[in-house]
Amino acid sequence: MKIAHIMSAEAFGGTGLQFDRLVAGLHGAGINQRVILADGSGRFADLKALGIETISMDIPGRFAFLDRRKINAELKRYTPDIVVSWSAELCGLVERGSYCHLGRAAAVFEPAAYATCNALFAPSQARADAAIAAGWAREAVHVLPHLPSAGLVRATVKPADRKTYFTPATARLLFTAARLIDSKGIDDLLQAIANISSVYLWIAGDGDDRQAFEARAHQLGIKPRVRFLGWQNDLRPYLAAADIFVYPARQEDLGDAVIEAWAAGVPLIAADSLGPGLLIRHQENGLLVPTGDPRSLSEAIRWMLVETAAAKRLAAAGSAAFDDVFATDKLLPRYIAMLKGLAGAPASTPTPQA
């Protein structure tokens, strides 16, 4: 089986992490891959170091017809069984061929972008449902969660040094990780922290609203207890250092944050948005609070800080859920099975036409 990936220069985010982990996992399984990578991506050296043939191209460039010509010429040379387009924009640059064209479903599904795809894969059921509602056959849409960070075992990960982030060793520490935009509920978390004295908060992530959130922390008088860490590809050291992981997103169809916290064995509190709400069983393997409700969030944090035995029980149940379903040795074989099935399927699989 030969797989060609077409990837943008995205520096961070869920798509980039899924790409990095899946390509590395498939490489470890001995699957032949070639990556067409947008110029300017920091992934080029890492992929070459793994021994994966990687071709750098100026995509998307100024003219779509030139991008299409370059990409499809390379695909003809490589003769893959499967072509994976990692964004809707890139899907439109791949012509139909003897291969199966697999597109990654975006958070906002625009049917016309996937007109040349034979199948889709979606990191959440909500994205799959959007594709099916747009006319895709259910059997052509595959739902697979993102692979977790490699080797997520709390006991073997050295916690991030609190001194590095000017955090007292005895302070109770909360941690969150998200793209720093309004829908992720960071403002709700900051307001919740303002109601709890002495607790410190680390925030991993970056985005358009970072400066606004930093200003809000200053306005609330909690800036001395809040640390903005920037984007972190590996959350494990920060999870290992934290007492509680909090995910306050108001809108979120993915469960990545929940899965990472479960893998690390950290007690978890999340706003009841779609992705976390589908995974977490309230008071069994985590706590759920209403979205956009800082008061309920602060009450849940206080409860978990006091009820340490219950917090440990919730964390243990989360770890068990991770081991049963979401660990790499469970998920990667599902990805490989999907890809092998697509490689053996006719490339003329009907798809909706824009």
Side-chain angles (χ1 to χ4, degrees), residues 18 22 42 61 77 83 137 158 161 181 215 217 226 257 259 263 289 306 345:
Q18 185 182 28
L22 181 59
R77 281 192 289 270
V83 176
K158 183 179 180 181
D161 186 1
I181 55 177
V226 179
I259 293 168
V289 299
V306 172

Side-chain angles (χ1 to χ4, degrees), residues 196-212:
I196 307 172
S197 61
S198 303
V199 171
Y200 278 66
L201 171 64
W202 288 359
I203 301 173
D206 211 339
D208 294 342
D209 293 329
R210 174 171 175 166
Q211 289 186 343

